[in-house]
C-alpha cells in the first residue's frame, strides 16, 4: 500500500488565539499505528501557511500571517525530506 503523509507546519498551540509556534511535524498514516516525526522548525512563526511536497522530495512552505496574525508574509522556506517523509539532517 502507498504511504500517506500529513504535514503540520507552524501555527498555534491549542484552540482560540493561543501562542504561536515554529514547530513542524510529519505524520505517517498507517492502518494499525500512526507515526509522528519532528521536522526542522521554521525560522519564524506562521499562521495558516500553504505547504506542498515537490516531486523531488522537498516540503515547500509559503506565506501565511506573521506573529500578529494580521500581516501577510511572502517568505518561502524549503525543508528537505528523506524518502521516508522525515527531514534530512
Amino acid at each position: 500500500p502507498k504511504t500517506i503523509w500529513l504535514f503540520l507546519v507552524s501555527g498555534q498551540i491549542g484552540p482560540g488565539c493561543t501562542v504561536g509556534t515554529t514547530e513542524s511535524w510529519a505524520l505517517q498514516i498507517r492502518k494499525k499505528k500512526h507515526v509522528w516525526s519532528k521536522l526542522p522548525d521554521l525560522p519564524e512563526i506562521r499562521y495558516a501557511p500553504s505547504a506542498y511536497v515537490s516531486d523531488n522530495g522537498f516540503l515547500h512552505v509559503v506565506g501565511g500571517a506573521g506573529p500578529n496574525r494580521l500581516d501577510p508574509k511572502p517568505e518561502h522556506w524549503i525543508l528537505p525530506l528523506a524518502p521516508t517523509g522525515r527531514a534530512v539532517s
Side-chain angles (χ1 to χ4, degrees):
K2 184 177 179 181
T3 300
I4 298 172
W5 291 93
L6 175 68
F7 296 94
L8 302 176
V9 182
S10 196
Q12 68 185 32
I13 301 171
C17 290
T18 57
V19 66
T21 182
T22 58
E23 289 186 11
S24 298
W25 294 84
L27 175 63
Q28 184 180 14
I29 299 172
R30 298 179 177 170
K31 282 189 174 189
K32 297 190 181 217
K33 182 180 180 186
H34 303 324
V35 178
W36 286 99
S37 300
K38 178 79 172 82
L39 297 174
D41 291 349
L42 292 184
E44 300 173 10
I45 293 171
R46 280 296 175 270
Y47 293 97
S50 295
Y52 69 94
V53 177
S54 61
D55 290 340
N56 59 352
F58 290 91
L59 178 65
H60 294 258
V61 181
V62 183
N68 69 4
R69 300 171 193 258
L70 300 173
D71 298 328
K73 298 293 183 177
E75 287 84 8
H76 172 209
W77 293 300
I78 302 171
L79 305 175
L81 301 174
T84 60
R86 297 175 189 246
V88 173
S89 330

